Amino acid sequence: QKEVEQNSGPLSVPEGAIASLNCTYSDRGSQSFFWYRQYSGKSPELIMSIYSNGDKEDGRFTAQLNKASQYVSLLIRDSQPSDSATYLCAAISGGYNKLIFGAGTRLAVHP
Amino acid sequence: DAGVIQSPRHEVTEMGQEVTLRCKPISGHDYLFWYRQTMMRGLELLIYFNNNVPIDDSGMPEDRFSAKMPNASFSTLKIQPSEPRDSAVYFCASSLAAQQARFFGPGTRLTVL
């Protein structure tokens, strides 16, 4: 079982819609979670961090964490074509301080 | 803030040659990480340092790989001898603390012929 799992997609949404990206993790000791965006040929760019259960909003982005169910999600409101990228979910392993990445979900926002 | 700096950005070499990748972390960050990204395996952690000391190198694939951090502002990842299966994008990242986000450099795209 992979430690951080994501649906590889592609997830296709129309411009202006809400894109919902999901991720599950296996290590119950994980306390820190991150969403990165990676454009083709570029490096991962941090867009959200979340450490507590509940929602965290930043502009058009909302991260949600549910530790009991071991899932993390990212909502992108008013999706734009420029949001088209691969979104990587990551969790820091409970005992080892390692940031473990999921395989990423490819998002395509079409006009 | 210049962010994490890596060099070279692209490296093409022949099998058997030595390859050295370089990284300058963000000033003040105590942690430095080397990752490798391929289509098949995604982003893999190779090794990380805390205050210039290697903490976990369990991700280093073989003895052909070695990494050093002689001071807080410089690290190298060396592959000797290189093989075609080492072709990948190698990222360096740094962070302020163990439980905080990693900030990535632009990466080095390595091609071993």
Side-chain angles (χ1 to χ4, degrees):
Chain A
Q1 180 190 7
K2 284 192 171 182
E3 296 184 57
V4 178
E5 298 221 38
Q6 297 180 255
N7 187 319
S8 62
L11 174 65
S12 183
V13 301
E15 184 174 356
I18 296 175
S20 177
L21 304 161
N22 301 308
C23 165
T24 58
Y25 61 94
S26 60
D27 184 351
R28 282 199 171 274
S30 295
Q31 297 294 324
S32 304
F33 305 88
F34 308 93
W35 283 99
Y36 286 81
R37 177 176 61 200
Q38 188 174 25
Y39 292 112
S40 180
K42 301 295 185 182
S43 59
E45 172 193 11
L46 178 70
I47 52 173
M48 290 289 283
S49 307
I50 187 164
Y51 305 95
S52 307
N53 277 330
D55 295 0
K56 179 181 177 183
E57 188 174 316
D58 184 359
R60 295 186 297 113
F61 299 99
T62 299
Q64 299 173 317
L65 173 60
N66 183 322
K67 290 185 179 179
S69 301
Q70 295 178 246
Y71 85 78
V72 192
S73 63
L74 179 71
L75 301 178
I76 306 175
R77 289 181 299 281
D78 188 23
S79 296
Q80 301 297 310
S82 59
D83 294 327
S84 298
T86 296
Y87 289 80
L88 300 163
C89 174
I92 293 184
S93 63
Y96 302 99
N97 293 328
K98 292 184 180 182
L99 185 62
I100 308 297
F101 284 87
T105 298
R106 190 156 57 92
L107 173 66
V109 181
H110 53 86
Chain B
D1 191 342
V4 176
I5 298 171
Q6 290 186 248
S7 65
R9 294 292 305 277
H10 302 272
E11 177 80 32
V12 180
T13 191
E14 293 189 345
M15 183 173 64
Q17 296 299 305
E18 178 180 297
V19 175
T20 300
L21 311 181
R22 296 172 176 80
C23 174
K24 175 178 168 54
I26 294 171
S27 177
H29 281 195
D30 290 336
Y31 287 80
L32 182 139
F33 308 84
W34 283 100
Y35 285 88
R36 177 171 71 175
Q37 188 174 38
T38 61
M39 289 292 290
M40 291 296 295
R41 300 175 67 91
L43 261 172
E44 302 174 279
L45 177 65
L46 300 177
I47 185 171
Y48 79 91
F49 296 82
N50 177 216
N51 291 325
N52 313 337
V53 176
I55 302 300
D56 188 335
D57 65 355
S58 60
M60 297 285 260
E62 298 171 36
D63 290 346
R64 298 185 295 106
F65 286 69
S66 62
K68 294 182 180 180
M69 191 166 185
N71 58 62
S73 59
F74 184 66
S75 177
T76 59
L77 178 68
K78 187 176 293 187
I79 308 172
Q80 165 63 19
S82 58
E83 295 184 4
R85 60 194 166 120
D86 301 331
S87 298
V89 181
Y90 290 81
F91 290 107
C92 177
S94 68
S95 72
L96 207 49
Q99 289 289 324
Q100 296 200 4
R102 284 49 168 155
F103 293 90
F104 285 78
T108 295
R109 182 172 295 276
L110 174 64
T111 302
V112 183
L113 303 173

